[in-house]
Amino acid sequence: MPKVTVDGIELEVPAGATVLQACELAGKEIPRFCYHERLSIAGNCRMCLVEVAPGPPKPQASCALPAGEGQVIRTDSEMVRKAREGVMEFLLINHPLDCPICDQGGECDLQDQSVAYGRGKSRYDENKRAVTEKYMGPLIKTTMTRCIHCTRCVRFSEEIAGVDEIGALYRGEAMQITTYLERAASHEMSANVIDLCPVGALTSRPYAFEARPWEMKKTLSIDVSDACGANIRLDARGREVLRILPRINDDVNEEWISDKARYQVDGLTKRRLDKPWLRKNGKLVAASWDEAFAAIAKVKPGNSVGVVAGDMVDCETMFAAKALAGALGSSLLEGRQTGLDYDCSNLAAVNFNSTFSGIETADAILIVASHIRWEAPLVMTRIRKAVKAGAKVFVVGPEWQTTVPTTFLGNDLSVLDKLPKDAADALSGAQRPALILGGAGLGKGALGACLALSDKYKLVRDGWNGLNVLHMAASRMGGLMLGYAQKGGIGDLVAAKPKLLISLGADEVDYSKFSDSIIVYIGHHGDKGAHAADVILPAAAFSEKAGTYVNTEGRVQFADKAVFAPGDARDDWTILRAMADALSVTVGFDSFDQLRAAMVKAVPALGVEGLANYGALPKATKAKASGTIEAYPIKDFYLTNPIARASTTMQRCSAELLHGEALAEAAE
């Protein structure tokens, strides 16, 4: 490890570190525009200049200069100060001074660094250049005259997303950043370039002119649009969440989120349930809370009660519903709405055991019946890292547009009984082989065959567990930990014909099979579940309540409440507590703290943030896979849940990016 001296501070830096990284280790702030720790080094902006000896008597770009033994680095000399002032002056030559109307104002790197490192005034007196605007789709608003050619957006698209949709045309001052043939950026991670842009060239189209950053209250939360559990920040003004941004968590989402996680936010205020409804003579009519609970009490279900949990429900809500069902004498709980009935007796068999950060180190990956780009976009970015390091990827299932070199092995699951030679050799010779099983494979009963493959190719070895199941619902692992799994899946509930069916925001269930049940829907949107319900009780969305979520890798995470629910809507647990009174039973909690304490007592893992320990994998039995994967569960990436389906932005993305519809602007 080389020793360097930074502004009189001597320290050791890791081999291969750059001078910029050495300065940061010494606690020195180095300005930069093009450098980003998760992207390749470009050396475009020259803002990170420092003085280095031994070396030429001029400032050097610290982002591209390796740190070497005996270097003496100065970050605050007169030479460095003047050089940075000069670079900033050049950057501002063509940059429009339109901060008052720029959406980046208040959180703009250029704005901050021009104040900290620039001159007090400009000497430029010529005409500024102008660049025609580029259309990058319904999510990204462009003002390319502001672009300083840092190429962060280009490098993100190529390196992280793996889709070469953004690039540069021409050279020098005439250089322009644009999408391919000026079409919309259509990959599912495209809007991360908005966070990366250090100026106001790429901003959020749906959020344009909505608010300034200092006006909003910021709340830490967890994304529920898929099972990855991305760490997010909710920015709210008044009673409305105006935008969702990613938070840095290297173990989960690094600093990226999918476009759906970011832009379904406008669906939180549309098509909301804000008062109770009762079905009378085949029609839903508005009611009071007392009338709704009186109608439920009239059912007198005894122990004939079933509970179905939706895809976005928090653990506290599921535990409260379980307590209510248990008090009534029922254990009919299910969270797999669409009929999956895989064995859940050992949760290690249905967990993403490699973890997201671990899958980056795999050197052979077999994907079984999973369209990962749509089911878990953040996992696809990790697989790209593994492939860059030399991993080979094989897929069993219908072909989809991957972002890595991939060998497709056909749609027939019987291929798992005897893998083709290239796939078998890759898994046999790998130091860290991995298998990822998706929802389509679980639906075809491929779990047993994948466990057998785990044995055959030794996917589990010292310090490594390569057997992974990729769920798609944010509530799935938490629900399985709480017992929301019947041996026969939701078919057991159908067969039991419960008098009372409690639906916790479950919108993917075929309710026609419960025609003999009184359906009580506790949810936040007027979606499919509400249309089938006999009693609708308005609840809080994920942004309107505190809660515990467990992602597909078994990671327990906590979310906070950002805003209040609209109208007469209430937190889910309070509704279930009031239902217990209406049905004359006791559930053992009267406050959220009591509820969480009872849940943690029942399932201690839910009280500890981090990865839950599910133990060792079950012993594999001789299981043969059969069946053909005709299609993947997700048909439309942008419309997978009630919040997204209520979102105007997500509907526009679906229409334009997936179905090729041209959407006219108002003036057209």
Side-chain angles (χ1 to χ4, degrees):
M1 293 173 64
K3 282 186 178 179
V4 299
T5 303
V6 181
D7 292 344
I9 302 169
E10 189 176 59
L11 71 157
E12 284 189 347
V13 297
T18 63
V19 169
L20 187 149
Q21 290 167 327
C23 294
E24 290 194 329
L25 286 173
K28 301 296 179 180
E29 182 179 334
I30 304 296
R32 84 289 299 267
F33 293 114
C34 69
Y35 175 81
H36 191 279
E37 53 270 18
R38 300 190 197 277
L39 304 175
S40 62
I41 293 170
N44 292 339
C45 70
R46 320 308 285 180
M47 193 64 205
C48 62
L49 295 173
V50 295
E51 190 178 341
V52 181
K58 62 178 184 179
Q60 299 189 61
S62 60
C63 70
L65 183 65
E69 180 68 38
Q71 283 178 336
V72 178
I73 303 161
R74 292 194 62 188
T75 68
D76 55 1
S77 67
E78 182 64 18
M79 178 199 292
V80 170
R81 189 183 63 78
K82 287 192 72 175
R84 288 176 181 169
E85 283 184 0
V87 169
M88 181 60 72
E89 198 170 7
F90 275 119
L91 285 174
L92 292 175
I93 277 177
N94 283 312
H95 192 84
L97 303 178
D98 58 352
C99 299
I101 62 153
C102 176
D103 265 320
Q104 199 90 323
E107 48 193 3
C108 173
D109 291 347
L110 184 67
Q111 201 174 55
D112 296 342
Q113 292 184 38
S114 63
V115 171
Y117 302 102
R119 290 172 59 90
K121 59 182 180 179
S122 172
R123 295 177 289 180
Y124 187 71
D125 208 24
E126 306 298 321
N127 293 328
K128 288 178 179 270
R129 69 161 192 168
V131 180
T132 54
E133 301 312 332
K134 315 297 180 189
Y135 182 68
M136 289 194 182
L139 302 179
I140 304 169
K141 181 176 182 286
T142 64
T143 311
M144 300 314 290
T145 302
R146 299 172 185 154
C147 179
I148 62 169
H149 304 156
C150 71
T151 68
R152 280 187 183 181
C153 54
V154 177
R155 284 175 284 148
F156 172 83
S157 297
E158 291 179 357
E159 297 165 17
I160 308 297
V163 183
D164 296 345
E165 288 188 329
I166 302 178
L169 299 176
Y170 318 123
R171 299 182 67 186
E173 188 186 57
M175 179 175 166
Q176 297 182 24
I177 303 293
T178 182
T179 50
Y180 180 64
L181 295 181
E182 297 201 21
R183 291 180 180 171
S186 59
H187 64 82
E188 56 288 329
M189 301 280 286
S190 65
N192 287 290
V193 299
I194 295 167
D195 298 332
L196 287 173
C197 185
V199 296
L202 304 177
T203 52
S204 172
R205 187 179 289 272
Y207 173 73
F209 312 121
E210 288 289 327
R212 288 297 195 188
W214 55 82
E215 296 177 315
M216 295 187 288
K217 183 183 78 170
K218 299 165 180 62
T219 307
L220 309 184
S221 189
I222 302 298
D223 171 44
V224 296
S225 67
D226 57 29
C228 291
N231 288 212
I232 57 174
R233 190 185 88 194
L234 306 177
D235 286 1
R237 184 177 61 190
R239 296 189 64 165
E240 184 178 354
V241 178
L242 293 178
R243 70 174 177 180
I244 295 176
L245 295 176
R247 287 188 286 134
I248 296 177
N249 186 327
D250 287 332
D251 293 325
V252 184
N253 57 306
E254 297 178 289
E255 58 186 271
W256 322 121
I257 53 173
S258 72
D259 291 350
K260 179 168 55 180
R262 186 186 299 264
Y263 282 119
Q264 66 177 9
V265 60
D266 63 317
L268 288 169
T269 57
K270 296 179 174 67
R271 294 173 60 182
R272 287 301 301 268
L273 299 172
D274 58 359
K275 55 189 170 187
W277 296 79
L278 289 176
R279 192 173 296 278
K280 295 181 179 178
N281 301 320
K283 289 187 177 181
L284 286 168
V285 295
S288 67
W289 280 105
D290 289 340
E291 290 170 333
F293 288 130
I296 294 168
K298 279 182 187 175
V299 178
K300 295 181 180 176
N303 64 356
S304 184
V305 177
V307 182
V308 185
D311 289 348
M312 299 191 292
V313 189
D314 56 294
C315 293
E316 285 82 358
T317 298
M318 289 187 281
F319 182 79
K322 179 181 181 179
L324 175 59
L328 291 166
S330 172
S331 60
L332 284 173
L333 312 171
E334 184 54 75
R336 299 165 295 179
Q337 303 177 59
T338 54
L340 298 177
D341 59 353
Y342 47 85
D343 181 15
C344 299
S345 56
N346 186 329
L347 293 186
V350 292
N351 186 47
F352 201 96
N353 295 297
S354 297
T355 72
F356 296 159
S357 56
I359 200 71
E360 293 178 7
T361 64
D363 43 7
I365 303 172
L366 175 64
I367 299 170
V368 180
S370 178
H371 185 331
I372 294 184
R373 272 188 69 179
W374 281 10
E375 294 172 14
L378 297 169
V379 176
M380 196 68 227
T381 66
R382 304 281 192 165
I383 292 174
R384 279 188 53 76
K385 289 189 183 181
V387 171
K388 284 181 181 177
K392 293 182 178 178
V393 177
F394 304 89
V395 175
V396 177
E399 292 193 17
W400 46 280
Q401 189 178 2
T402 66
T403 58
V404 294
T406 306
T407 303
F408 285 90
L409 305 179
N411 298 5
D412 197 334
L413 284 173
S414 62
V415 74
L416 297 178
D417 299 329
K418 189 175 181 183
L419 291 175
K421 188 175 185 307
D422 54 346
D425 289 349
L427 288 171
S428 299
Q431 295 296 312
R432 295 165 81 86
L435 182 151
I436 299 175
L437 173 62
L442 288 172
K444 291 287 186 179
L447 181 58
C450 290
L451 283 167
L453 275 177
S454 172
D455 254 13
K456 184 175 180 180
Y457 292 105
K458 296 182 174 55
L459 300 186
V460 182
R461 49 188 76 177
D462 285 345
W464 176 251
N465 187 336
L467 181 71
N468 303 299
V469 171
L470 187 63
H471 298 292
M472 290 172 278
S475 64
R476 183 69 75 246
M477 286 305 292
L480 296 181
M481 291 170 76
L482 289 166
Y484 275 74
Q486 300 296 306
K487 193 169 184 181
I490 203 166
D492 284 3
L493 271 69
V494 174
K497 296 183 178 178
K499 283 185 182 178
L500 181 67
L501 181 71
I502 301 172
S503 171
L504 305 176
D507 292 290
E508 317 304 327
V509 176
D510 181 1
Y511 286 104
S512 63
K513 295 178 180 177
F514 293 97
S515 55
D516 297 331
S517 304
I518 298 298
I519 300 169
V520 177
Y521 180 80
I522 302 173
H524 41 79
H525 276 76
D527 207 77
K528 301 171 188 175
H531 286 284
D534 299 296
V535 181
I536 297 174
L537 304 178
F542 78 97
S543 57
E544 297 153 4
K545 59 186 174 184
T548 304
Y549 297 92
V550 186
N551 75 354
T552 190
E553 55 177 357
R555 187 180 300 276
V556 179
Q557 301 184 106
F558 305 116
D560 290 329
K561 179 176 183 172
V563 294
F564 289 97
D568 287 335
R570 296 290 182 267
D571 283 9
D572 308 55
W573 75 267
T574 63
I575 297 171
L576 291 159
R577 175 65 185 80
M579 275 182 68
D581 285 346
L583 294 168
S584 304
V585 293
T586 304
V587 288
F589 56 84
D590 295 312
S591 69
F592 183 76
D593 289 339
Q594 289 176 358
L595 166 62
R596 182 170 270 178
M599 179 183 75
V600 172
K601 185 178 180 182
V603 186
L606 290 175
V608 183
E609 192 168 20
L611 292 172
N613 184 4
Y614 298 131
L617 289 178
K619 287 187 177 179
T621 56
K622 288 186 178 179
K624 289 201 169 185
S626 61
T628 303
I629 305 298
E630 303 293 347
Y632 297 108
I634 295 179
K635 303 291 187 292
D636 190 321
F637 170 73
Y638 297 102
L639 303 175
T640 56
N641 63 65
I643 299 175
R645 288 190 283 267
S647 163
T648 306
T649 305
M650 289 295 95
Q651 289 175 8
R652 177 165 179 175
C653 285
S654 172
E656 184 174 346
L657 303 180
L658 295 185
H659 304 293
E661 297 178 19
L663 297 176
E665 298 291 341
E668 298 176 293

